[in-house]
Amino acid sequence: MNKKLLSKSVQNINFCLKEKKGIGILILFILLINASSLIAQINNSGCLGGNFGIDAGLYSNQIEFGTASPAAGSNDWFFSSGTGLGVIDQSNPSAIQSILQAPGNPLYVRRMNTGISSLVNGQLHIDAVWARDNFGGTGGTDLTSFNTASKNGEDPATWDPGPQNVLGKNDLIDVGGYLFRNGTSLTDDLWFVGLINRAEPGGDAYMDFEFFVEDVSYNASSGFTSGGPQLGHTAYTFDPSGNITKVGDFLFNVMLTGGGVTPNIEVRLWVSRADYDAHLHPAGFSWGTEFDGAFTGSPYGYASIVPTTPQICGNINQTGQIPLAPPWGTKNTKYNSWGTTYPEYSVMELGINMTHFGIDHASLLGSDVCYYPVHTFIVKTRSSNAFTAQLKDFAGPFSWGQAVITSEIIGNPLMSCNNPVVTLTANPVRLDVTYLWSTIDGHIMGDPTLSSITAD
């Protein structure tokens, strides 16, 4: 944890913990390339991506559905047994179970069980979230859904959220997101794993994981805040050679086709039409033919990309495959009843190697392994295959990849003639972080990397 003594007061900075480098296991699946852009059709066989089980199951040390290699020691959303990790905090499950079993329509969020940007078992765990959205199906009203005139490519501040009844196939119930690097340095692969559980499987469905560089917030009375300076987003920028000079917003577009049983994935970046038309891009991908902004002729929009060496994997639970719910159970199904399992075809999980897609921010920064330029993550569904179709439901937005330091400082940080020397101590003292104190116009006596300092 970095701390600064500025103008004789104390402020917090981000931290990151370093451990040894680890090796992940990766199994790849064949991609189906559409003529207009990269549409990756996932083989429903389960896989390990960066040693994380991506199989429509939730528990570590196993591939629950599919034909991937044995997964002893693999990580997943929740811990089961063995040496693999569960990345989500699953402490005190009885409290959430009581909420789910009681009348009502709860929301809850659980975050990663380690600090943001922590190095654990040879991997950098950047951030993770597990959340339940409102139920909007039969007899329910989803308070976090969309009314009319809300579409991808628009400024979030113009979206029209509000309470709605939501079709089961569009109704988000449990969602998860996990971002990690399969190693300890910026040269190791950056992975995103996402999971969506819907209230009622059946029929084609369309959803996405969207990421904003800006802090996007939501309030029930005022709606969403704007997502950035380029028509409500932040655009990727490139130098004349095509190298990324600024990271922008991006979106993983998921399409469940064939009656909702086959997942397909498309990746899009927010860019200027000028850069898209000039074919500016790094060597890791080329542009697809899809470009959608908020309106016809928009100077900015979401453009599809075709990676040079894409790596994705995933699964949707098939007939007879009944995944266990989180340790506290779930409240899904058409009638919003509490249970300990998910229905068939209701859980979709995907993993994307962002480094191989050419959108790893390490190619731009190349220095601080703890820094992540994206601040907001949101999950959405829409009414049809058209990228700009009416949005239906959302979960989030969630703060993403940004360290929040909760330690307080013990000691009086104000210096005066009567108090020329101060002693400051972090509280609680953390053993899993590195401290660094600094001052603009004072003097630190002793070691500035300890949890307590004296300054004059």
Side-chain angles (χ1 to χ4, degrees):
M1 188 184 337
N2 298 331
K3 297 185 181 294
K4 286 190 176 180
L5 182 61
L6 299 176
S7 301
K8 304 179 179 60
S9 64
V10 178
Q11 298 179 354
N12 295 318
I13 310 295
N14 297 341
F15 66 88
C16 134
L17 171 68
K18 295 182 170 18
E19 289 186 5
K20 295 181 180 178
K21 184 176 181 180
I23 299 175
I25 301 172
L26 175 63
I27 296 179
L28 307 180
F29 290 97
I30 298 174
L31 303 180
L32 176 65
I33 299 181
N34 185 291
S36 62
S37 62
L38 184 85
I39 305 295
Q41 185 176 33
I42 304 293
N43 185 335
N44 286 311
S45 298
C47 63
L48 288 171
N51 200 41
F52 192 96
I54 305 170
D55 60 342
L58 277 59
Y59 288 89
S60 63
N61 297 288
Q62 57 188 310
I63 290 293
E64 297 178 63
F65 308 113
T67 59
S69 299
S74 65
N75 303 329
D76 218 307
W77 301 102
F78 302 102
F79 176 75
S80 174
S81 62
T83 59
L85 301 175
V87 301
I88 298 297
D89 176 13
Q90 60 192 80
S91 60
N92 194 19
S94 59
I96 298 178
Q97 181 174 325
S98 296
I99 295 173
L100 291 174
Q101 290 179 312
N105 201 351
L107 293 169
Y108 66 79
V109 177
R110 280 289 175 103
R111 302 302 302 228
M112 191 163 63
N113 58 16
T114 60
I116 287 178
S117 293
S118 293
L119 296 181
V120 182
N121 289 356
Q123 290 184 327
L124 174 63
H125 295 209
I126 298 174
D127 205 352
V129 62
W130 184 273
R132 176 192 160 81
D133 186 38
N134 283 144
F135 174 79
T138 303
T141 299
D142 193 328
L143 300 178
T144 57
S145 59
F146 293 101
N147 296 317
T148 58
S150 302
K151 299 179 180 180
N152 279 330
E154 296 177 336
D155 184 343
T158 69
W159 286 342
D160 182 26
Q164 289 286 328
N165 179 262
V166 181
L167 286 177
K169 69 174 186 176
N170 300 323
D171 190 10
L172 298 169
I173 299 297
D174 288 341
V175 301
Y178 174 44
L179 185 72
F180 67 100
R181 198 173 288 280
N182 190 29
T184 63
S185 74
L186 289 168
T187 61
D188 294 306
D189 288 348
L190 180 69
W191 276 88
F192 171 76
V193 181
L195 182 144
I196 292 175
N197 158 242
R198 297 175 296 142
E200 187 179 354
D204 294 356
Y206 310 94
M207 57 204 73
D208 58 65
F209 303 93
E210 188 168 16
F211 302 82
F212 293 89
V213 170
E214 295 287 329
D215 293 306
V216 178
S217 62
Y218 170 73
N219 182 280
S221 59
S222 58
F224 290 90
T225 59
S226 181
Q230 284 87 40
L231 297 183
H233 291 266
T234 300
Y236 276 83
T237 59
F238 311 90
D239 65 19
S241 299
N243 300 307
I244 296 173
T245 57
K246 181 178 177 57
V247 171
D249 299 348
F250 57 94
L251 183 148
F252 300 141
N253 182 25
V254 182
M255 296 147 283
L256 300 181
T257 60
V261 301
T262 303
N264 308 275
I265 311 299
E266 178 189 52
V267 177
R268 294 200 181 209
L269 311 183
W270 188 263
V271 295
S272 71
R273 184 79 202 201
D275 283 352
Y276 176 77
D277 289 340
H279 306 292
L280 292 179
H281 58 78
F285 65 83
S286 59
W287 297 116
T289 60
E290 306 300 322
F291 183 99
D292 293 289
F295 52 87
T296 302
S298 173
Y300 292 93
Y302 270 122
S304 58
I305 67 172
V306 181
T308 303
T309 56
Q311 291 185 10
I312 65 169
C313 57
N315 200 9
I316 185 168
N317 63 311
Q318 307 287 307
T319 301
Q321 297 177 350
I322 310 296
L324 287 174
W328 43 79
T330 190
K331 201 172 186 181
N332 58 352
T333 75
K334 182 176 180 179
Y335 301 103
N336 198 27
S337 57
W338 181 85
T340 58
T341 60
Y342 290 117
E344 299 169 345
Y345 297 103
S346 69
V347 178
M348 187 283 304
E349 187 173 22
L350 67 91
I352 295 180
N353 187 324
M354 294 173 61
T355 302
H356 281 245
F357 266 75
I359 54 174
D360 186 343
H361 64 280
S363 63
L364 168 65
L365 301 169
S367 56
D368 185 358
V369 72
C370 289
Y371 174 72
Y372 189 63
V374 174
H375 286 211
T376 306
F377 166 55
I378 186 171
V379 185
K380 312 190 305 294
T381 62
R382 65 185 190 274
S383 60
S384 76
N385 186 39
F387 183 76
T388 57
Q390 170 65 40
L391 297 176
K392 303 301 292 184
D393 195 12
F394 68 90
F398 309 105
S399 173
W400 193 243
Q402 307 306 307
V404 177
I405 308 303
T406 58
S407 294
E408 64 175 326
I409 304 301
I410 296 177
N412 181 4
L414 298 178
M415 295 179 180
S416 68
C417 294
N418 295 326
N419 188 39
V421 178
V422 299
T423 298
L424 304 175
T425 303
N427 179 43
V429 173
R430 296 267 298 269
L431 300 180
D432 62 334
V433 303
T434 297
Y435 295 89
L436 179 62
W437 302 75
S438 63
T439 173
I440 292 176
D441 55 358
H443 172 247
I444 296 174
M445 297 180 288
D447 188 348
T449 65
L450 300 178
S451 59
S452 180
I453 63 162
T454 301
D456 62 11

